[in-house]
Amino acid sequence: MLKIIIENLNQREIHSPDNVRKVIDLIHENYIDWMHACGKKGRCTTCKIIVVKGMENLSPLTDREEFFRKNNRLKSFERLSCQANLIKGEIRVKVAEENKFPHVDYSD
C-alpha cells in the first residue's frame, strides 16, 4: 500500500492499494488542489513537492528533474510530483510556499 502525508495540509493522508503511481495523480485523485502549470509535463516546477521523509520510496530522478537541479530550480529535497513515482511505502511532503493556492487553507 502506498501512502502520502501532506504535512502542511493538516496532515492530510492519501492511501492507495496500487504498486507504483505518479505522486500528482494520487494527489489529484483524492480531490486535493495541487498546482501544475505545464499540464504535468515536467516543463516547470509549479508541482514540486518538498520531501520531508521517504525520498528512498520514490523513483529515481527523471531527465527533467535533473535539468531543473542543474539550473538550481529544484533542491536536493524537492521533486516534481508530475515526474516522481511513489514506488513503495510512505512519503511525507509539504507544499512549497511559492506554489500554494490562495483559496486553500494550509497549516504550518
Side-chain angles (χ1 to χ4, degrees):
M1 174 163 294
L2 304 177
K3 182 177 179 181
I4 299 172
I5 299 169
I6 306 171
E7 291 187 350
N8 58 351
L9 273 178
N10 299 303
Q11 302 295 322
R12 178 82 181 262
E13 291 189 18
I14 297 169
H15 300 269
S16 175
D18 297 325
N19 291 331
V20 176
R21 295 293 307 281
K22 292 258 188 235
V23 173
I24 198 163
D25 291 340
L26 289 168
I27 291 170
H28 283 161
E29 288 169 8
N30 282 271
Y31 308 103
I32 298 170
D33 221 357
W34 201 275
M35 192 176 294
H36 58 97
C38 72
K40 305 180 192 177
K41 293 181 176 38
R43 295 181 182 154
C44 67
T45 59
T46 61
C47 75
K48 76 179 168 187
I49 52 175
I50 297 170
V51 181
V52 177
K53 186 177 178 185
M55 186 72 82
E56 69 279 3
N57 295 330
L58 295 170
S59 58
L61 292 174
T62 64
D63 291 343
R64 296 305 304 155
E65 290 174 303
E66 291 282 1
F67 170 82
F68 288 118
R69 284 237 176 124
K70 287 177 187 171
N71 290 289
N72 297 318
R73 292 186 57 201
L74 200 62
K75 297 177 179 133
S76 62
F77 54 85
E78 297 173 331
R79 294 291 303 269
L80 297 181
S81 65
C82 73
Q83 299 291 298
N85 282 303
L86 181 53
I87 56 175
K88 64 180 180 176
E90 172 183 314
I91 56 172
R92 296 183 73 87
V93 302
K94 290 184 176 182
V95 181
E97 194 64 38
E98 64 270 22
N99 298 342
K100 290 181 176 178
F101 284 121
H103 65 277
V104 175
D105 291 325
Y106 296 93
S107 57
D108 292 330

